[in-house]
């Protein structure tokens, strides 16, 4: 049987996810609302002076992004399963890895959208300018990594008994080195530290992203058998 | 029913030949060696080695603390081998090996953490701090606790083995990377006994000591290294595999008798 070309499959799966989302707005609205609430809760919980706010803001940003991603990943895979979409994809004569990259691209777009909404809000509430090239680059690296491991692990957890509750437990330890790098890098950017002091962190994040993408590529076929 | 009863013992025996043979001789030898090794290692660490001039008796914990870390690393390494082999061959024995590795690895990592904590109380004046090395040890344990949670959450045995293998591979990658990241960071106060001592950090490291400064330290460490980093994990994993096989057989027999 003739297989659909790899990138064509990736693009169509991602387009399908985006189209569903454009019509239902279910994921973005729940992720976005959760993120905004989390920012508010943090700003109440940490009533900080200006210096302490600079230290805390990268933590607030990343914790919010990670938890909002968990919310979105759970929903996205659960929807796929409820509607039988995953089964249909498995019958289709397409490369399994292409399914992985398609789902990952969709999740990536959702997370990036939430981050883009989040930045100006944090900017205003914490009175710190976040629109710096290196911070945006770090954000991109971090979110690519979360989307990659998240897609792989959400595909696993959606097939288990505990479902939603298992994803954070599985994903947080695995994503931790990435989160560590992201936190260090963005805190340094916001503190205007000299580049050579922290440039190792974005480099580590880049390496981690590559490793996660390779592992996702290799392992995804074992996650969606039968 | 009566024909069933006669057929069952033979079938069980053919399915699991090691049962009739009892405990393998090598395992008996290994067990004896491990028990004697632990006793001898304790003697070397507690009696033979001289008391550390700076830290006193509490430094003796180190003879268990460090070897046990490498024992945990060995066990968790075995898990990856088991996971990869399971995904390739789909033979249950590889998954059993992986499971044994995780459980033994967690147990040894906890021993490592607890002994370190007891040592840190008099030396650092705190049970716990968020030193990078301590953090990485805690993360390792939590990662593999998540592995066990994942296994507990899946009923279909084949799916469980498949997912566990995938997560085991993912887990070792992040654990190794975390350890590497944390090792290259210079701001640890943990003594660096093995590996390059970061220059310029001597003033920060609290509780450091020289391997050859006190009499018998090298010998005591060497013996305990063989015992805790090699003998103990292998023996424990072997018993864990046998336990899993027995549990599997009980499951099968129960299913068979409940059906008939």
């Amino acid at each position: 049987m003739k297989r659909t070309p790899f990138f064509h499959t990736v693009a169509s799966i991602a387009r399908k996810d985006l189209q569903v989302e454009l019509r239902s707005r279910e994921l973005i609205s729940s992720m976005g609302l959760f993120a905004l609430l989390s920012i508010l809760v943090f700003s109440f919980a940490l009533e900080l002076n200006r210096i302490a706010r600079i230290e805390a803001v990268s933590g607030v940003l990343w914790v919010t992004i990670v938890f909002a991603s968990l919310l979105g990943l759970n929903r996205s895979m659960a929807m796929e399963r409820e509607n039988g979409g995953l089964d249909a994809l498995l019958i289709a004569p397409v490369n399994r890895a292409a399914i992985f990259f398609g789902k990952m691209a969709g999740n990536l777009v959702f997370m990036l959208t939430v981050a883009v909404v989040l930045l100006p809000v944090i900017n205003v509430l914490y009175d710190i300018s976040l629109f710096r090239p290196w911070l945006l680059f770090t954000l991109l690296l971090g979110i690519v990594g979360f989307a990659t491991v998240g897609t792989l692990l959400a595909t696993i957890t959606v097939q288990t008994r505990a479902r939603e509750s298992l994803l954070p437990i599985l994903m947080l330890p695995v994503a931790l080195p990435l989160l560590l790098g992201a936190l260090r890098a963005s805190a340094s950017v916001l503190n205007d530290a000299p580049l050579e002091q922290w440039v190792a962190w974005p480099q580590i994040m880049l390496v981690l992203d590559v490793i996660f993408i390779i592992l996702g590529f290799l392992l995804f076929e074992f996650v969606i058998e039968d | 029913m009566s024909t069933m009863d006669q057929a069952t013992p033979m079938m069980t025996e053919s399915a699991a030949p090691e049962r009739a043979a009892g405990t393998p001789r090598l395992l008996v030898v290994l067990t004896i060696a491990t028990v004697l090794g632990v006793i001898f290692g304790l003697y070397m660490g507690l009696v033979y080695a001289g008391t550390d001039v700076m830290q006193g008796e509490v430094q003796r914990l180190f003879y268990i603390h460090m070897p046990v870390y490498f024992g945990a690393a060995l066990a968790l390494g075995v898990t990856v081998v088991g996971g990869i082999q399971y995904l390739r061959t789909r033979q249950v024995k590889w998954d059993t090996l992986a499971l044994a590795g995780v459980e033994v690895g967690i147990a040894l990592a906890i021993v490592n953490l607890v002994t370190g904590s007891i040592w840190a109380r008099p030396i650092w004046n705190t049970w716990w701090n968020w030193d990078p090395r301590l953090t990485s040890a805690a993360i390792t344990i939590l990662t593999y606790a998540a592995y066990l949670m994942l296994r507990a959450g899946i009923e279909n045995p084949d799916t469980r083995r498949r997912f566990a293998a995938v997560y085991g591979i993912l887990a070792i990658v992040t654990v190794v990377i975390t350890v590497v990241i944390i090792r290259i960071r210079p701001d640890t106060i943990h003594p660096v006994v093995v590996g390059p001592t970061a220059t310029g950090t001597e003033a920060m490291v609290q509780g450091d000591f020289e391997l050859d400064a006190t009499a018998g330290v090298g010998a005591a460490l060497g013996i305990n290294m063989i015992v805790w980093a090699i003998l103990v994990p292998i023996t424990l994993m072997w018993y864990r595999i046998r336990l899993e096989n027995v549990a599997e057989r009980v499951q099968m027999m129960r299913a068979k008798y409940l059906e008939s």
Side-chain angles (χ1 to χ4, degrees):
Chain A
M1 196 187 296
K2 190 179 173 299
R3 288 190 163 208
T4 322
F6 190 87
F7 286 105
H8 187 76
T9 317
V10 174
S12 1
I13 292 174
R15 196 169 56 233
K16 175 218 69 157
D17 275 4
L18 296 183
Q19 214 157 49
V20 169
E21 186 55 30
L22 273 178
R23 287 177 191 161
S24 68
R25 291 191 190 81
E26 191 183 332
L27 282 176
I28 296 281
S29 54
S30 65
M31 283 166 82
L33 205 56
F34 171 82
L36 291 179
L37 285 169
S38 148
I39 295 292
L40 278 179
V41 169
F42 272 121
S43 71
F44 288 131
L46 318 161
E47 287 190 23
L48 303 164
N49 58 28
R50 177 155 178 85
I51 310 281
R53 248 181 311 176
I54 293 182
E55 297 294 329
V57 77
S58 73
V60 170
L61 176 69
W62 282 107
V63 169
T64 304
I65 286 178
V66 169
F67 285 127
S69 310
L70 286 169
L71 202 69
L73 287 163
N74 261 331
R75 239 1 260 153
S76 134
M77 285 324 276
M79 266 156 59
E80 198 75 79
R81 193 190 156 98
E82 280 161 22
N83 303 330
L86 210 53
D87 295 334
L89 283 176
L90 291 185
I91 315 172
V94 295
N95 192 322
R96 296 280 161 94
I99 302 179
F100 172 71
F101 284 115
K103 291 302 292 177
M104 179 210 141
N107 288 329
L108 181 65
V109 172
F110 301 148
M111 290 181 194
L112 284 176
T113 315
V114 172
V116 167
V117 176
L118 211 56
L119 282 181
V121 177
I122 296 186
N123 211 332
V124 170
L125 286 180
Y126 287 76
D127 193 20
I128 291 163
S129 170
L130 295 175
F131 290 92
R132 309 177 194 209
W134 271 106
L135 190 81
L136 298 180
F137 181 59
T138 312
L139 211 56
L140 182 69
L141 285 180
I143 291 178
V144 166
F146 293 147
T148 314
V149 274
T151 306
L152 182 65
L153 290 175
T155 317
I156 288 182
T157 55
V158 80
Q159 300 176 60
T160 64
R161 212 166 353 121
R163 301 245 180 119
E164 274 80 4
S165 60
L166 205 53
L167 182 62
I169 295 173
L170 292 191
M171 185 172 151
L172 286 178
V174 173
L176 214 111
L178 196 65
L179 188 62
L180 192 75
L183 283 168
R184 300 281 162 172
S186 42
S188 308
V189 175
L190 294 175
N191 276 322
D192 295 317
L195 183 69
E196 68 271 11
Q197 268 182 24
W198 51 268
V199 75
W201 291 115
Q203 286 167 352
I204 289 171
M205 290 174 74
L206 191 66
V207 172
L208 275 169
D209 282 355
V210 172
I211 292 174
F212 283 155
I213 288 171
I214 293 171
L215 282 177
F217 179 80
L218 292 177
L219 294 176
F220 191 70
E221 62 171 304
F222 297 114
V223 162
I224 53 164
E225 271 175 20
D226 57 61
Chain B
M1 188 68 200
S2 61
T3 48
M4 254 311 266
D5 278 341
Q6 282 175 341
T8 310
M10 274 174 67
M11 280 170 68
T12 335
E13 265 181 34
S14 60
E18 84 267 41
R19 186 196 176 155
T23 313
R25 179 156 302 158
L26 183 60
L27 182 58
V28 176
V29 173
L30 200 60
T31 309
I32 295 170
T34 307
V35 171
L36 291 179
V38 168
I39 295 170
F40 185 54
L42 285 176
Y43 166 78
M44 291 297 280
L46 295 178
V47 181
Y48 179 77
T51 310
D52 190 81
V53 185
M54 303 288 285
Q55 301 179 27
E57 304 289 353
V58 74
Q59 184 267 338
R60 294 177 188 281
L61 274 170
F62 162 78
Y63 300 119
I64 306 289
H65 176 72
M66 195 182 83
V68 116
Y69 179 84
F70 288 97
L74 174 74
L76 296 177
V78 163
T79 295
V80 187
V81 176
I84 293 173
Q85 284 296 323
Y86 178 75
L87 288 181
R88 282 184 44 201
T89 64
R90 300 306 161 98
Q91 288 171 343
V92 178
K93 64 176 182 184
W94 291 113
D95 177 67
T96 312
L97 181 70
L99 175 64
V102 167
E103 290 191 357
V104 172
I106 289 183
L108 293 180
I110 289 175
V111 172
N112 173 257
L113 213 61
V114 169
T115 51
S117 201
I118 296 170
W119 173 85
R121 179 65 195 147
I123 303 295
W124 290 346
N125 202 24
T126 175
W127 294 108
W128 182 262
N129 61 27
W130 290 104
D131 183 83
R133 289 197 176 196
L134 276 65
T135 314
S136 81
I139 291 164
T140 308
I141 292 174
L142 288 177
T143 311
Y144 285 99
Y147 174 98
L148 294 179
M149 286 284 289
L150 174 65
R151 290 192 78 104
I154 308 166
E155 274 169 23
N156 182 336
D158 287 332
T159 317
R160 186 200 309 136
R161 293 180 187 125
R162 211 151 30 87
F163 287 0
V166 169
Y167 193 70
I169 294 168
L170 210 55
I172 199 74
V173 169
T174 56
V175 162
V176 166
I177 289 172
T178 312
V179 169
V180 168
I181 290 178
I182 276 164
R183 294 253 151 175
I184 57 175
R185 281 180 59 182
D187 58 341
T188 181
I189 67 166
H190 190 285
V192 181
V193 180
V194 173
T197 312
T199 45
T201 58
E202 265 94 324
M204 283 167 63
V205 175
Q206 296 169 26
D208 211 352
F209 57 91
E210 297 286 321
L211 261 187
D212 52 1
T214 324
V217 171
L221 182 63
I223 296 292
N224 276 298
M225 209 62 177
I226 294 169
V227 173
W228 287 95
I230 299 168
L231 287 180
V232 170
I234 289 177
T235 312
L236 286 179
M237 281 190 286
W238 196 334
Y239 276 110
R240 183 62 187 85
I241 291 169
R242 288 171 59 83
L243 179 65
E244 188 65 20
N245 288 342
V246 171
E248 202 98 314
R249 197 153 54 224
V250 169
Q251 280 286 340
M252 272 164 54
M253 286 168 79
R254 181 184 290 159
K256 193 150 67 185
Y257 282 113
L258 284 181
E259 262 173 34
S260 59

